Amino acid sequence: DQQVKQNSPSLSVQEGRISILNCDYTNSMFDYFLWYKKYPAEGPTFLISISSIKDKNEDGRFTVFLNKSAKHLSLHIVPSQPGDSAVYFCAARLTGNQFYFGTGTSLTVIP
Amino acid sequence: DTEVTQTPKHLVMGMTNKKSLKCEQHMGHRAMYWYKQKAKKPPELMFVYSYEKLSINESVPSRFSPECPNSSLLNLHLHALQPEDSALYLCASSPLGLAGTDTQYFGPGTRLTVL
């Protein structure tokens, strides 16, 4: 059973606009959440993370929001750039360093 | 050095072959991981090593045998694999830092094809 879900397989956004990628999870025991970016034939690259005790974390153009009551997190990219086009995975961690990944969202930023 | 390296990049093997995948990191990380990723699916955790000891085995078949000879090196030994084992095998490492702050860094993966 998929404990971390990304319900949008793909997303297209105009350059300069905001990209919002969403992720839902079912296990309330997850204590740490991460976003990764992945290009074809490469391993995932870490982008940004958030602890379960926080509701927002910002790093440059990337902001992650966590809504624990809704078991939902989102990644905002603003402004979006063509180089941001990739597959984005959210991941969640259980204690003991068990990480579970979402199914991914393919982002295309249109110049 | 913030890199996780994996060799080989590509591997083709028959069902009777024995082969090994290798992963290396020099970031001083004390946790290392093997993941399997099929096309259009998320990475699935296979094994976790913490301080060179196997801490998590996600019910992986015994034809996959992990080994952690030292804190920088992680191997995955393969024997009698099936065609459905064909996938991208990803290695990752993490510092095992303060609770809630551990971040994994991934290698580029080994693309495995079992004939």
Side-chain angles (χ1 to χ4, degrees), chain B residues 23-39:
Chain B
C23 174
E24 201 162 357
Q25 59 87 16
H26 296 286
M27 295 179 277
H29 289 176
R30 300 313 300 272
M32 296 186 78
Y33 311 76
W34 281 115
Y35 285 84
K36 173 182 177 180
Q37 186 177 23
K38 304 277 273 185

Side-chain angles (χ1 to χ4, degrees), chain A residues 32 36 43 93 96-99 102, chain B residues 33 42 56 58 100 102-104 107:
Chain A
Y32 188 52
Y36 287 88
R93 188 189 80 161
N97 274 29
Q98 289 176 270
F99 289 84
Chain B
Y33 311 76
I56 294 174
E58 292 278 12
D102 214 29
T103 298
Q104 292 181 312

Side-chain angles (χ1 to χ4, degrees), chain A residues 48-109:
Chain A
I48 192 168
S49 63
I50 188 166
S51 167
S52 60
I53 61 174
K54 295 187 175 181
D55 55 18
K56 178 183 175 181
N57 188 27
E58 193 171 352
D59 184 3
R61 296 186 298 114
F62 302 93
T63 303
V64 56
F65 295 92
L66 176 62
N67 183 333
K68 283 187 68 178
S69 60
K71 293 192 179 69
H72 178 84
L73 70 156
S74 61
L75 174 67
H76 293 208
I77 307 173
V78 57
S80 301
Q81 300 173 354
D84 296 329
S85 298
V87 177
Y88 288 77
F89 288 98
C90 64
R93 188 189 80 161
L94 289 176
T95 53
N97 274 29
Q98 289 176 270
F99 289 84
Y100 295 88
F101 281 75
T103 46
T105 297
S106 178
L107 173 66
T108 302
V109 180

